Amino acid sequence: MPLQVRDYSWQQTRTAVFISVPLRGVCIRDADVFCAENYLKVNFAPFLFEVFLYAPIDDESSKAKIGDDTIVFTLHKKEAVMWETLSVSGVDKKMMQKIREKSVLQAQEKAKEATEAKAAARREDQKYALNIMMKIEEEERKKIERIKENERIKATKELEAWKTHQRKAEEQKRIKREEKLHQQEKQIEEERKKLKHKSLTGNSTSRNIATKGRNSENIFSEKLKEDSIPAPRSIGSIKINFTPRAFPTALRESQVAEEEEWLHKQAAARRAMNTDIPELRDLKEEEKNPEWLKDKGNKLFATENYLAAINAYNLAIRLNNKIPLLYLNRAACHLKLKNLHKAIEDSSKALELLTPPVADNASARIKAHVRRGTAFCQLELYVEGLQDYEAALKIDPSNNVVQNDAEKIRNVIQGTELKSE
């Protein structure tokens, strides 16, 4: 049974009560304090200080200070009055137990309310943070939309400028044609005047020899008429000879069949168009041309605007997915942006379309192998990268740049193997 502490002291003002309780040499960490509106308890085994307060206090604003083997309580009264005693008098054990239980229930309810308030505050903080994130994402989306709109406006202006240039060129051609026609008409008119002058001269001569008879005059007049009319053009035929296509390979190493297949394949690729795309409804006719989009992507790549270039190539591929240069150029953009896996995919797709292997597509195949090999090396897959560089050297063994890069990759592989040993 704990020992009740009796040697405490207390003082009061109209608004507060000050209680000093000695700890009797007990460690501060072992003291357990509980305070409610009408109840105060300090348990520091084997001692117990317990008081049933004379009037209610504000337990939330009240404080306890522990130090120098003493606990000093500052209890703020709910009503500014002077107490007759610290503890209420005439309280039996049953009443004490009720006050204890009531105080514990009040403390539990307050703790529950505080927990709920903290949870509600945390939810509000999370909601606020979510709203902030949504605003940031919305601003980012609007920024991207503005960039896209600016790019579209820029592309539209360039297209309009190109159209204006084409119209001016056509107008100049038309003017030249009209001038040429005008000169031809002038020449014809001069010829007519010469013929007319010749005819008038002949008529005057016939009048001078009219005495020779009416029949001779008529015969001479008919002759003059025949002389004034140009003779009809003679009928002939023009023979056209077409120059036969000369293939770059020697006849003993002929790839005529493969090169013809490549030409047919390219012609079929240019005819393959996918126009069932919703985005095409807002585009002009010139913007639906994959070649125009490829040229646009090349210009954006030259200005280091790689994301916009990828967008141009993407739309061109959606229009026509049979053109290997679209995948090859998009692979270069992905390589610049360090999208290495996408660069490998596009290079592989370009190599798949660059078949059969002929001299006409050799340059494109070298670029595809080099770009895929570069992506492999940046992923530290040096063996796969070296295989692509060696494939490029098989196409063009005299390429010094590819030879030097392949030698560097071999040195890296050999250095890695020596370290592992």
Side-chain angles (χ1 to χ4, degrees):
M1 186 174 178
L3 301 175
Q4 294 285 338
V5 177
R6 303 292 183 186
D7 53 345
Y8 65 89
S9 61
W10 73 286
Q11 298 175 355
Q12 67 171 324
T13 63
R14 290 183 63 83
T15 59
V17 176
F18 306 95
I19 305 173
S20 178
V21 180
L23 288 177
R24 299 177 180 273
V26 178
C27 182
I28 295 173
R29 292 190 300 273
D30 297 333
D32 183 18
V33 178
F34 177 77
C35 182
E37 286 186 355
N38 298 95
Y39 180 67
L40 176 63
K41 182 181 78 169
V42 182
N43 184 10
F44 49 105
F47 302 100
L48 175 67
F49 172 75
E50 185 179 42
V51 60
F52 299 92
L53 298 172
Y54 181 81
I57 62 167
D58 186 359
D59 57 333
E60 292 183 356
S61 61
S62 298
K63 299 178 182 178
K65 183 178 180 181
I66 304 175
D68 298 330
D69 294 333
T70 305
I71 302 178
V72 178
F73 292 98
T74 303
L75 308 179
H76 295 278
K77 300 176 182 178
K78 285 193 172 182
E79 294 183 5
V81 294
M82 298 298 289
W83 292 358
E84 296 178 2
T85 60
L86 178 62
S87 177
V88 65
S89 58
V91 180
D92 55 7
K93 290 183 178 181
K94 189 175 181 180
M95 182 63 70
M96 289 180 181
Q97 187 62 28
K98 285 184 179 180
I99 293 173
R100 291 190 191 100
E101 291 175 355
K102 183 179 179 182
S103 299
V104 170
L105 288 173
Q106 287 178 349
Q108 290 177 349
E109 289 177 358
K110 288 183 178 180
K112 183 179 179 182
E113 290 175 358
T115 303
E116 291 176 352
K118 285 182 180 179
R122 187 165 54 251
R123 285 194 297 271
E124 288 295 326
D125 291 341
Q126 291 175 351
K127 186 177 179 181
Y128 176 76
L130 181 61
N131 289 332
I132 293 296
M133 287 298 296
M134 290 175 67
K135 287 181 180 179
I136 293 172
E137 289 177 357
E138 181 67 18
E139 290 176 359
E140 189 68 22
R141 186 188 64 78
K142 288 181 179 178
K143 183 180 177 181
I144 293 171
E145 290 295 329
R146 285 196 299 271
I147 293 171
K148 287 183 179 179
E149 182 64 19
N150 291 336
E151 288 295 332
R152 189 189 67 78
I153 293 170
K154 185 179 177 182
T156 304
K157 288 181 178 178
E158 290 180 356
L159 180 61
E160 291 297 329
W162 179 79
K163 285 181 179 179
T164 304
H165 178 73
Q166 291 295 110
R167 283 196 295 269
K168 288 181 178 178
E170 291 293 330
E171 184 66 21
Q172 289 178 356
K173 289 180 181 179
R174 186 184 63 80
I175 292 170
K176 288 181 179 179
R177 285 197 299 269
E178 289 179 354
E179 289 177 353
K180 189 175 181 180
L181 288 172
H182 182 66
Q183 290 177 357
Q184 291 177 352
E185 287 176 357
K186 281 181 73 177
Q187 290 177 357
I188 292 170
E189 187 66 26
E190 288 177 359
E191 299 236 350
R192 285 178 180 174
K193 285 181 179 179
K194 287 180 181 179
L195 291 172
K196 188 175 180 181
H197 178 71
K198 191 183 291 185
S199 175
L200 290 172
T201 304
N203 288 335
S204 62
T205 304
S206 64
R207 280 195 296 271
N208 291 331
I209 59 172
T211 56
K212 292 186 178 180
R214 191 176 185 87
N215 292 332
S216 61
E217 182 182 352
N218 290 339
I219 293 169
F220 193 68
S221 298
E222 289 294 332
K223 187 176 180 182
L224 285 174
K225 288 180 181 179
E226 289 177 0
D227 291 341
S228 65
I229 299 173
R233 293 179 181 178
S234 61
I235 299 172
S237 60
I238 299 173
K239 187 176 180 181
I240 299 173
N241 295 322
F242 293 97
T243 304
R245 185 174 185 273
F247 294 98
T249 52
L251 189 60
R252 64 180 177 275
E253 301 171 357
S254 177
Q255 289 183 317
V256 174
E258 288 83 355
E259 295 197 21
E260 288 293 344
E261 181 184 348
W262 167 251
L263 292 175
H264 288 305
K265 194 173 180 181
Q266 290 298 99
R270 285 191 290 270
R271 290 193 298 270
M273 286 284 290
N274 180 20
T275 57
D276 298 331
I277 301 175
E279 291 88 339
L280 292 179
R281 296 170 187 167
D282 299 332
L283 298 179
K284 297 181 180 179
E285 287 300 323
E286 292 81 359
E287 296 172 339
K288 298 177 184 179
N289 186 352
E291 290 295 330
W292 185 89
L293 290 168
K294 180 171 74 68
D295 294 338
K296 178 65 180 174
N298 295 345
K299 291 178 183 177
L300 292 169
F301 181 87
T303 60
E304 299 183 0
N305 192 351
Y306 305 122
L307 286 174
I310 287 174
N311 290 334
Y313 295 138
N314 287 343
L315 184 54
I317 288 171
R318 293 185 68 185
L319 286 167
N320 190 336
N321 59 0
K322 301 295 182 183
I323 301 175
L325 291 182
L326 296 176
Y327 294 96
L328 190 60
N329 295 355
R330 192 172 69 176
C333 294
H334 285 311
L335 204 57
K336 291 288 186 181
L337 295 173
K338 303 299 180 184
N339 299 331
L340 303 177
H341 291 91
K342 291 184 177 180
I344 292 170
E345 290 177 6
D346 281 346
S347 299
S348 301
K349 183 64 177 177
L351 286 170
E352 180 184 333
L353 293 172
L354 289 167
T355 54
V358 293
D360 197 30
N361 58 25
S363 176
R365 285 186 286 122
I366 291 172
K367 291 179 182 177
H369 280 298
V370 169
R371 285 169 189 173
R372 188 169 69 177
T374 303
F376 276 131
C377 290
Q378 291 184 13
L379 288 170
E380 298 184 0
L381 300 173
Y382 299 110
V383 176
E384 291 80 356
L386 181 59
Q387 290 174 355
D388 271 310
Y389 272 88
E390 288 177 345
L393 285 173
K394 287 181 181 178
I395 301 170
D396 185 8
S398 62
N399 193 317
N400 294 327
V401 176
V402 179
Q403 286 178 357
N404 295 334
D405 290 343
E407 188 61 31
K408 290 178 183 178
I409 297 169
R410 289 191 192 96
N411 293 335
V412 171
I413 293 172
Q414 291 173 0
T416 305
E417 290 176 351
L418 288 173
K419 287 181 181 179
S420 62
E421 290 176 0

